[in-house]
Amino acid sequence: MQLRLFYACTMEKCADQQGTNGRAAAFVGRALRKTYVTGETQVHALRGVDLEIYAGEVLVLLGPSGSGKSTLLNIIGGLDRPTAGELWYGETELTALDDAALTRFRRANIGFVFQFYNLIPSLTAEENVRLVTDISDDPMHPADALDLVGLAERRTHFPAQLSGGEQQRVAVARAIAKRPGVLLCDEPTGALDSQTGIRVLETLAQANRELGTTLILITHNAGIAAMADRVFNFLDGQIASIAVNEKRISASEMAW
Amino acid sequence: MVRALDTKLLRDLWHMRGQALAIALVIGAATATFVMAMGVHHSLTQTRDAYYDRNGYADIFVTMVRAPRSVVEQLAAIDGVAQAEGRIEQFATLEMPGRIAPVRAVINSVGDGGASTLNRLVLLRGRGPVSDKAGEVVIDKAFADANAVHLGDRIDAIIYGSRTRLEVVGIGLAPDYIWSIAPGELVPDASRYGIFWMGEKALEAASNRQGAINAVALKMDRGAKEAEIIRHVDTLTSQYGGTGAIGRKDHLSNAFLQSELDQLEAMTRIIPPIFLLVSTFLVYVVLGRTIRTEREEIGLLKAFGHTSASVGWHYLKFALAIALLGIVLGSAAGWWMGRSMTGQYAEYYRFPFLYYQVSAPVFLAGAALAFGSAAIGAMGGVRKAVTLSPAVAMSPPPPPVYHAGWIERLGEKAGLSAVGNMIVRHIARWPGRSGVTVFGVALSLGLLFSVLQFIDSSRAMLDNYFFRAQRQDISVSFIEPRNEKVLSELASMPGVIRVEQARAVPVMLRSGPRSKRVAIEAASSDDRLTSRVDAQGFEVALPASGLMLSRALADHLGVSVGDRVEVELLGGRQTSTTMPIASTIDELIGTRAYAQSDVLSRLSRDGAPVGSANLLIDHARRDELIGRLADMPMVLGVTERDAAMGLFQRIIDENIMSMMGFYIAFASAIAIGVVYNSARILYSERAHELATLRVLGYHRNEVGIVLLGEVALLVVMAVPVGCVVGYWLARLMVAMFSSDLFRLPFAPERSSYGVATLVVLAATTATAVIVARRVNRLDMVRVLKAHD
């Protein structure tokens, strides 16, 4: 019963209902399993994961390829469903939603940043941001979002006219423009050099700081873990350990 | 063993089976129409030629008022004439029990047992008539079928004013009556007009022509000059009231069949090229796209040592394989459609046998056209595959570059959403491919419109001829011209409201070396029941003096208003004079000439005998009147306008219903082929973007709009283009399908544009929705990791 009550909380409504370490939980997952069947072999991507992700924290998912971190990110983002287990976002049980409701969930709450930017080549920087603001309830002005990532001057440029770092910052602007509760970033600096990567991470940290957005990052770069509140270390489809950073460092201080 | 490259080809084809099938359907439509039209044309021509040959169809025909049998020998003696045969052609009115509408027949004399040297009778059942046995007749099969007349049945007939009981001893056909129509009628109606054959002596007696004939058929020596023989024949027969000899091409039965064959030939020249053009473009677009996506594989193949030629041949085979599928489907469909069409022809054209057979060269030519157009379409892509260097091919293609051009600014100015801009810019980025989609859909719409226009055109002709030009209820024609008293006799009959004389005088018009045998039709200025209506539907008044010629006749003679033509009277007083052409009229049917009644009377100087009359009647007393007319001696025919109109309408409807199904299917095949391929390419190009949109929180239907929006916009753009294409295509078809006998007006109903548009929209919408359902299969997870 206590558990149900806990699940039923949203960050806003139940600010007094505290998680184990005194912070509100954005996501609560219990016994999450994901099994892919490819041909005659079964791949156990997640093997019973329990987790709590706190509102407003910076969480880094670390681990080798195939350890299950991307699968978890996809399930958190409402792109995929677990084979078993429950996942709650505030009072919403994501694992019970149908496709249309999951889409509404993504539209309202989630901002995505991809490794390869995934900008629409036929749209300018500003129009790529508008793709999201067109369908959001209370978005920023696209120009303001671009301003936040330092690309106000480049708003009429097409992706082909922007550098990789600039493209990724447009992607970040696109992700934050709807003021999402959660930012999900899968290897956001994977295709960037260190200087550009740091610039992008600074932008993400800024969104976390100024908008209170929960930031969940997948990375292979252990150095990035230093900017997180907590780090989930994945191994073989399970969270092997959780590290808590007493003191976060800023992106500019991190060792790449 | 199948080579690895061929295995790849088969797998690629299987992988792209939807697109390959869509193209194959368009190619199939081309092959089908080609095989059908050529097959039917070939079958009809072969059948006709065999029939003409076996049954001695004559080369030259002449009719006279009355000539002694000796004229046959004189005509046979003309240089170049191989055979001559005289006969009697006598009209009769038949009394069919229970039938109010008049039924007529033309009775031809034949030798004992139905024998003759030319235009030989084919007996299907029974036997030929005994020459001197009164009343024995062979009747044509169509009449027998239409009226359920059987061997041994008896029919009462009025021949030359006296009642004779005919006995059906045989049912048959003859090569000079493959197609027939009662004089004065516009539509053949086997239930009301029969072709009979009677023994020579019996018909001589019945028609009061002992030792005399009124028609001669001639067979020419090989290589003889028709025009020269005709001139001699005319000279010899003028004293017997000859109405001018005609060759095969002017002989009604042959002329109609020939015009049908010409139409079929015109069809092969218009319709298959449209399909082939579309399939060429589709192959170009699809293969171009395939080769772009397989750049790396092409590089790999070349790096492994495959020659450029073998890589090029591999992709050419891809196109040829699709064409092969189209050829197989199209040939089968064409053969089947041709068979059903030939079956329909057998109802209108009376052959004793009808071989439906599509020769190998027709299939081969159809296949060659399909392979050729697919190969042309493949050229662009194959050239690209051949010239790609392995190093370049193995690096990914540069991403599409978009710049802020005028289209981009246009979208911004129009206040388009981001999705709207995606759609518009993608169209502008690939103008060639967008153009193919627009053009393909436009051609589909155009084709459908031009077919619909055909129906409108036939209806317009009906309207023009029956509603505007012919306002009488009944036309009465007489076996021989009567004097004017007959008009007042008609006027006093029950239910007759108005009587007008209708007169036509057969003449030969000459201008320099050109000549044409026509009948000058007379009308007086106070006539109300008939008028001359031009192609635009306007009434044209007769000139006070001189002749008015139909435009087709004026063109044939090479004369224009103000010129004079030589007018030679035929069939009676053989005099010749010249007359001025006072005006011309742009008419739909036939080559005709008109003059005021008094002008014609001065020309013929015969006291204006009445050959036929037009009546306006009280419909309540129609049955009574028809009964009285049928009893009137010397009445040859009674034509009811409404019945003729209804029959014409029925023929149009029957033809149209069967043809429309084919053409809706074919036009849809184009629209489906074009839209399916366009949407599939769009989907594969944009799958990554569409999945990204899904991740960003766009619902499936919203993502579907990005996909369908572009197709929809292109289809909408195609509609006005299609209307323009249809307009010109319809004009082209009208021009190509017109003949000496009639000219189709260009008279589309506005609704035809609408119906064509709706059919195309329905086909394209259904196709696009099928492709759009792929949005459900978008893999959002993969897009997070994958490069575009």
Side-chain angles (χ1 to χ4, degrees), chain A residues 70 74 79 99-100 103-104 106-107 112 114 116 118 120-123 127 130-131 134-135 158 161 186, chain B residues 402-404 416-418 421-422 425 688-689 692 694-695 697-700 702 781 783-785 787:
Chain A
S70 287
N74 293 338
L79 301 177
D99 179 76
T103 306
R104 280 197 296 276
R106 286 200 301 277
R107 183 185 277 218
F112 282 97
F114 311 88
F116 296 109
N118 288 19
I120 306 294
S122 59
L123 298 181
E127 288 161 349
R130 263 178 52 203
L131 264 184
D134 278 350
I135 57 167
F158 285 90
Q161 299 167 309
D186 195 349
Chain B
Y402 289 85
H403 292 293
L416 289 183
S417 66
N421 273 318
M422 278 176 79
R425 286 179 196 162
H688 195 81
E689 291 178 25
T692 302
R694 287 282 287 134
V695 172
Y698 277 76
H699 287 286
R700 283 184 179 148
E702 291 168 327
V781 171
V783 86
L784 292 167
K785 284 288 181 195
H787 233 305

Side-chain angles (χ1 to χ4, degrees), chain B residues 35-45 264 338 341-342 345 356:
Chain B
V35 166
M36 174 185 77
M38 290 297 282
V40 173
H41 187 277
H42 197 70
S43 299
L44 283 181
T45 311
L264 277 171
M341 202 163 159
T342 307
Y345 279 126
Y356 177 63

Side-chain angles (χ1 to χ4, degrees), chain B residues 278-289:
Chain B
V278 173
S279 61
T280 300
F281 281 131
L282 286 180
V283 169
Y284 168 77
V285 166
V286 170
L287 198 65
R289 163 72 189 163

Side-chain angles (χ1 to χ4, degrees), chain B residues 406-459:
Chain B
W406 63 272
I407 295 214
E408 284 70 18
R409 286 195 288 275
L410 205 70
E412 231 162 77
K413 285 223 175 78
L416 289 183
S417 66
V419 165
N421 273 318
M422 278 176 79
I423 292 170
V424 171
R425 286 179 196 162
H426 198 261
I427 290 176
R429 178 68 184 73
W430 302 102
R433 191 199 302 155
S434 305
V436 166
T437 306
V438 170
F439 186 60
V441 174
L443 269 180
S444 147
L445 200 161
L447 180 66
L448 196 55
F449 170 76
S450 58
V451 175
L452 288 170
Q453 196 283 141
F454 231 76
I455 307 173
D456 300 338
S457 177
S458 309
R459 295 226 165 91

Side-chain angles (χ1 to χ4, degrees), chain B residues 534-613:
Chain B
D534 68 12
Q536 283 69 43
F538 296 113
E539 275 191 32
V540 178
L542 279 178
S545 64
L547 293 174
M548 178 165 83
L549 303 188
S550 69
R551 172 96 29 96
L553 180 56
D555 289 347
H556 177 87
L557 295 171
V559 293
S560 50
V561 174
D563 293 347
R564 294 185 79 88
V565 286
E566 190 189 332
V567 181
E568 184 192 331
L569 287 178
L570 300 171
R573 203 189 299 264
Q574 303 276 327
T575 56
S576 186
T577 178
T578 67
M579 285 179 79
I581 295 159
S583 62
T584 61
I585 175 169
D586 186 20
E587 275 190 322
L588 298 175
I589 297 175
T591 45
R592 303 165 83 177
Y594 303 94
Q596 287 277 357
S597 294
D598 52 343
V599 173
L600 198 61
S601 299
R602 279 200 298 278
L603 178 75
S604 59
R605 281 176 285 161
D606 57 1
V610 179
S612 62

Side-chain angles (χ1 to χ4, degrees), chain B residues 6 24 52 56 117 128 151 157 315 342 346 364 392 407 423 451 485 519 561 589 617 651 688 707 751 779 784:
Chain B
D6 290 332
Y52 281 178
T117 48
L151 284 184
Y315 286 104
T342 307
L364 289 178
V392 173
I407 295 214
I423 292 170
V451 175
K485 271 195 293 186
V561 174
I589 297 175
I617 65 160
I651 289 175
H688 195 81
L707 188 62
S751 62
D779 187 348
L784 292 167

Side-chain angles (χ1 to χ4, degrees), chain B residues 141-441:
Chain B
K141 183 176 179 299
F143 180 85
D145 292 346
N147 295 291
V149 179
H150 305 98
L151 284 184
D153 285 0
R154 289 183 162 74
I155 303 170
D156 284 335
I158 313 280
I159 305 173
Y160 204 68
S162 49
R163 178 171 279 106
T164 310
R165 172 150 291 197
L166 304 179
E167 185 196 348
V168 178
V169 297
I171 291 172
L173 299 166
D176 50 337
Y177 290 105
I178 290 175
W179 189 89
S180 73
I181 189 168
E185 297 275 8
L186 192 63
V187 188
D189 182 355
S191 72
R192 294 178 50 175
Y193 185 60
I195 315 298
F196 291 8
W197 293 267
M198 188 187 266
E200 204 170 82
K201 296 280 175 240
L203 191 57
E204 273 186 5
S207 63
N208 192 24
R209 280 196 175 89
Q210 280 80 5
I213 52 167
N214 65 352
V216 177
L218 305 171
K219 192 91 192 153
M220 295 192 296
D221 285 327
R222 196 178 289 274
K225 290 215 171 70
E226 186 189 272
E228 249 166 58
I229 296 175
I230 284 179
R231 208 169 50 244
H232 278 112
V233 171
D234 286 351
T235 312
L236 273 170
T237 56
S238 63
Q239 57 185 309
Y240 307 116
T243 51
I246 50 168
R248 278 185 176 187
K249 85 175 164 49
D250 292 318
H251 190 237
L252 202 61
S253 166
N254 184 60
F256 259 83
L257 184 56
Q258 189 59 49
S259 109
E260 192 76 54
L261 290 169
D262 291 345
Q263 287 192 10
L264 277 171
E265 210 168 19
M267 196 166 122
T268 60
R269 270 177 291 165
I270 300 176
I271 294 171
I274 293 175
F275 291 113
L276 291 175
L277 189 66
V278 173
S279 61
T280 300
F281 281 131
L282 286 180
V283 169
Y284 168 77
V285 166
V286 170
L287 198 65
R289 163 72 189 163
T290 306
I291 284 166
R292 264 199 306 284
T293 56
E294 293 189 355
R295 279 169 62 95
E296 292 171 37
E297 290 168 47
I298 293 169
L300 207 63
L301 289 173
K302 288 191 178 178
F304 285 166
H306 282 277
T307 61
S308 291
S310 73
V311 172
W313 172 231
H314 169 70
Y315 286 104
L316 183 59
K317 275 196 285 187
F318 181 86
L320 297 182
I322 293 175
L324 182 65
L325 178 63
I327 291 164
V328 170
L329 293 175
S331 298
W335 183 87
W336 177 78
M337 279 158 42
R339 200 181 58 165
S340 101
M341 202 163 159
T342 307
Q344 277 184 15
Y345 279 126
E347 287 178 23
Y348 293 104
Y349 298 97
R350 302 158 191 180
F351 293 104
F353 49 84
L354 189 51
Y355 296 131
Y356 177 63
Q357 161 184 355
V358 185
S359 63
V362 170
F363 285 120
L364 289 178
L369 286 172
F371 278 134
S373 62
I376 291 169
M379 275 308 134
V382 168
R383 189 170 343 107
K384 220 171 269 169
V386 166
T387 53
L388 263 183
S389 92
V392 173
M394 283 174 74
S395 60
V401 178
Y402 289 85
H403 292 293
W406 63 272
I407 295 214
E408 284 70 18
R409 286 195 288 275
L410 205 70
E412 231 162 77
K413 285 223 175 78
L416 289 183
S417 66
V419 165
N421 273 318
M422 278 176 79
I423 292 170
V424 171
R425 286 179 196 162
H426 198 261
I427 290 176
R429 178 68 184 73
W430 302 102
R433 191 199 302 155
S434 305
V436 166
T437 306
V438 170
F439 186 60
V441 174

